[in-house]
Amino acid sequence: MTSISPPATKVWWKEPIAKGELIWISVVVVWGIILTLMMPFWHIYGEQNLSSEAYRTTPENYMEKTQAMVDQYTIRKEGERQVPVVKPPAGIDIYMVGRLWEWWPILELKKDETYRLHVASIDWQHGFSLQPTNLNVQVLPGYDMVLTVTPNKTGKHTVVCNEYCGIGHHNMLGTIYVVE
Ligand code: CUA
């Protein structure tokens, strides 16, 4: 019999299921249940998920808040592009802008202090990826993503863009310093 000829008996659903097929179905069902349970389990015990909040914003509104922080707390400028390095007081809301093709400005945070880090794009879809911690957030225009962060390692941390955003994507870098 080939697949194009009609089945020998029309009531195929009353035929017994082959043992091999039954085993596979059981394996799939059990594995599906395990994976479903892993979702809440991993959320609670995996320490992988961010407790992030999302709010609506506009590029103008977000840029205004970022600029106000930059104007108030810039301590120096870095590199040939003179990117401001901002050292905000602990505990406040701090802002980072994603745009073609940079994360702006540079932030300098204190170790073991908690900040509300806002991240938003003012033009296109970007991916905020903090390395080497491997903290990742999707950054969409129109949304203000807020991460409550408490840096626990000093040093220079690099922000890379992990969402393809055009010709300068691979150069879209940012910096967060963590100091004592
Ligand atoms: Cu921004 Cu890739």
Side-chain angles (χ1 to χ4, degrees):
M1 190 178 83
T2 66
S3 59
I4 53 168
S5 55
T9 157
K10 291 273 167 80
V11 287
W12 52 269
W13 60 86
K14 284 191 180 163
E15 287 178 24
I17 302 169
K19 199 174 168 209
E21 195 173 359
L22 214 51
I23 291 170
W24 277 114
I25 291 170
S26 311
V27 168
V28 167
V29 169
V30 169
W31 187 236
I33 292 169
I34 291 171
L35 289 184
T36 305
L37 293 175
M38 278 302 285
M39 286 190 276
F41 176 82
W42 202 245
H43 182 77
I44 297 162
Y45 299 104
E47 295 185 345
Q48 287 283 316
N49 294 283
L50 295 168
S51 296
S52 56
E53 304 156 50
Y55 302 96
R56 293 304 288 242
T57 186
T58 61
E60 297 73 30
N61 188 288
Y62 190 82
M63 211 48 223
E64 204 175 291
K65 289 180 181 172
T66 309
Q67 192 61 54
M69 175 195 75
V70 170
D71 291 344
Q72 206 174 351
Y73 302 116
T74 295
I75 51 166
R76 61 174 188 276
K77 295 195 174 179
E78 263 189 30
E80 38 181 89
R81 297 180 59 202
Q82 293 291 288
V83 181
V85 179
V86 179
K87 189 174 187 175
I92 72 161
D93 286 56
I94 56 177
Y95 300 86
M96 191 169 253
V97 169
R99 62 187 175 195
L100 303 170
W101 286 280
E102 63 174 351
W103 296 103
W104 186 92
I106 295 171
L107 297 172
E108 188 166 303
L109 309 180
K110 283 196 81 172
K111 183 174 175 268
D112 297 327
E113 296 287 355
T114 300
Y115 302 83
R116 276 168 60 80
L117 171 62
H118 295 246
V119 186
S121 163
I122 56 163
D123 46 37
W124 203 247
Q125 180 171 0
H126 300 287
F128 176 95
S129 181
L130 184 67
Q131 299 299 331
T133 318
N134 201 24
L135 182 153
N136 299 283
V137 185
Q138 189 72 247
V139 183
L140 297 159
Y143 288 93
D144 177 355
M145 305 300 293
V146 189
L147 316 168
T148 305
V149 293
T150 311
N152 58 5
K153 261 184 227 146
T154 57
K156 181 180 178 177
H157 303 259
T158 302
V159 181
V160 302
C161 179
N162 65 1
E163 190 69 54
Y164 183 70
C165 55
I167 194 127
H169 163 69
H170 62 287
N171 286 328
M172 185 165 168
L173 300 170
T175 303
I176 297 178
Y177 292 110
V178 177
V179 297
E180 287 287 349

